[in-house]
Amino acid sequence: ENAFEAGQQQDSFDRLYVPRVGYTTGDLDIHDMAVDSNGRLVFVNTLFGCLATLSETHSFKPLWQPTFISKLAAEDRCHLNGLAMRDGQPAYVTAVSQSDVADGWREYRNDGGIVIDVNRNEIVCSGLSMPHSPRWHNGKLWLLNSGTGDFGCVNPDTGYFEPICFCPGYMRGLSFQGDFALIGLSRPRHNKTFSGLALEDNLKSRTAEPRCGIQ
C-alpha cells in the first residue's frame, strides 16, 4: 500500500509502497502469474502441474489441472508453464508434454509441446517445442515456441501454429505494448534441458550467437 498521504513527497518521490501482507509457499516452481477479474492471483504451479491460487492454510489452492494429470504431486510431470488470460479469466495454458510421470516432459522437448483450452480442458495445438508465455492479444493467441526460437500465433480452431519471426535466443516472457511484442531472451544453459533442440540448428543456419536481452 502507498504509505504517503495525498500531496506528500520525500526526496522527490510521491509514492512509498510498503508490503503489508505476505504469503509463504513451499517449492512450487511457479512460472506465469496473473490477476483475474476478481483481483485473485492465479499462477502456474509448474511442479504440481496445475493452476493455483494462494491459500491461508496450505502451500497453494489448486484451481485446475489437465485431464491427463492423474495426481497432484511435486514431480513436474508435464512442465506446465504458461498462462494466457482472456476477459479476466484463465483461458489457455502451455505445457512441454502430456506426460504423467515424474519429469516425463524431458523426453518430449522437441515436439511434445501443447496448448490447452482451460475452459474446455482440451488440447487445441500440439507438436510444439517447449512452448512458453501464451498471451491473448487483439483477438489472437500468441506464444513463444522456445525450442525452435519462433515467435508466432496459434489458431485454436485449426490447431495450427504460424511462426511470425525467429528470435536469436531461448525465449521466455512475452508482453504486448500497442502493436509491439516484447520478448525476453536468454542464452541456453549448457545442460540436457537445452541441448539437442532445433534452436541450436536454427542459430547455426543464421550464423548467429544466442543473445540475452529483450527483442
Side-chain angles (χ1 to χ4, degrees), residues 27-107:
D27 183 9
L28 305 182
D29 195 17
I30 293 173
H31 279 59
D32 273 357
M33 300 187 293
V35 177
D36 69 13
S37 55
N38 298 316
R40 177 181 62 175
L41 177 66
V42 179
F43 56 84
V44 180
N45 184 344
T46 301
L47 190 62
F48 284 81
C50 68
L51 294 182
T53 190
L54 299 170
S55 170
E56 299 287 344
T57 56
H58 295 79
S59 186
F60 65 92
K61 178 182 179 181
L63 299 174
W64 173 91
Q65 70 189 72
T67 56
F68 56 80
I69 295 295
S70 60
K71 177 184 178 181
L72 293 184
E75 296 178 344
D76 192 6
R77 298 183 175 189
C78 66
H79 204 68
L80 194 75
N81 56 47
L83 169 62
M85 304 290 285
R86 184 177 181 182
D87 299 327
Q89 295 298 319
Y92 299 97
V93 295
T94 50
V96 176
S97 78
Q98 302 179 52
S99 305
D100 193 30
V101 295
D103 276 339
W105 63 272
R106 296 184 184 277
E107 300 173 9

Side-chain angles (χ1 to χ4, degrees), residues 64-69 78 80 91-100 111-128 131 141 143 154-161:
W64 173 91
Q65 70 189 72
T67 56
F68 56 80
I69 295 295
C78 66
L80 194 75
Y92 299 97
V93 295
T94 50
V96 176
S97 78
Q98 302 179 52
S99 305
D100 193 30
D111 58 6
I114 56 174
V115 178
I116 309 173
D117 184 317
V118 172
N119 294 312
R120 294 186 295 166
N121 212 334
E122 294 180 0
I123 297 173
V124 295
C125 182
S126 59
L128 300 170
L141 178 61
L143 62 79
V154 168
N155 185 326
D157 296 324
T158 64
Y160 177 71
F161 171 72

Side-chain angles (χ1 to χ4, degrees), residues 150-171:
D150 293 313
F151 162 63
C153 57
V154 168
N155 185 326
D157 296 324
T158 64
Y160 177 71
F161 171 72
E162 178 186 358
I164 302 298
C165 67
F166 176 78
C167 297
Y170 191 81
M171 302 180 295

